[in-house]
Amino acid sequence: MLRFEVSVDDLMRSRFALSPAMDLCFLLRSLAGRDQPLPRTWADRLRPTFERLRRETELNAFLALQTPRSGPDFVAPPPRGLHQTWADDLVTIRAAPLEAARREISTAATGPS
């Protein structure tokens, strides 16, 4: 039998709560074919908008940093509670230290993917 000991900080950084930014990352990776596939009806409904965003925005830069199951942590911070909102996520994302964000981008850009 394995036994894991965790601290309160470990649990707070775990993703038991919902995070709008994390959910968006999962959705975008799925639509790009880099994560679990979406149900066909969802994918069929979302794909035209996803493809338009790829053409008209910098979405491809975000997708270039994604592996099949992860990406830079600063774009999907761990939720701080059960009532995490987009506003909460955006405050945390914008507060990410620039050097830490650059390091995560560099790691993702030069990794094995």
Side-chain angles (χ1 to χ4, degrees):
M1 173 190 340
L2 292 176
R3 180 179 179 167
F4 294 96
E5 292 187 26
V6 296
S7 68
V8 171
D9 188 55
D10 293 327
L11 290 175
M12 290 301 296
R13 294 196 49 79
S14 297
R15 298 184 191 265
F16 296 112
L18 299 176
S19 165
M22 177 57 81
D23 288 344
L24 179 60
C25 288
F26 286 141
L27 176 64
L28 293 173
R29 282 199 299 267
S30 291
L31 287 166
R34 297 186 187 151
D35 205 339
Q36 297 295 320
L38 294 172
R40 186 175 187 91
T41 56
W42 292 13
D44 289 347
R45 182 171 50 90
L46 296 172
R47 187 149 323 278
T49 301
F50 174 73
E51 294 301 334
R52 181 180 55 79
L53 289 171
R54 287 186 82 171
R55 287 188 311 273
E56 298 175 4
T57 70
E58 301 302 322
L59 180 56
N60 285 329
F62 168 82
L63 293 173
L65 299 175
Q66 303 301 307
T67 67
R69 294 304 227 161
S70 68
D73 287 338
F74 78 93
V75 297
R80 297 213 177 264
L82 295 176
H83 303 290
Q84 189 85 357
T85 66
W86 263 112
D88 297 330
D89 279 355
L90 289 175
V91 165
T92 304
I93 292 166
R94 289 179 179 135
L98 184 57
E99 286 306 312
R102 285 181 174 155
R103 190 171 43 255
E104 289 182 26
I105 289 169
S106 177
T107 299
T110 59
S113 64

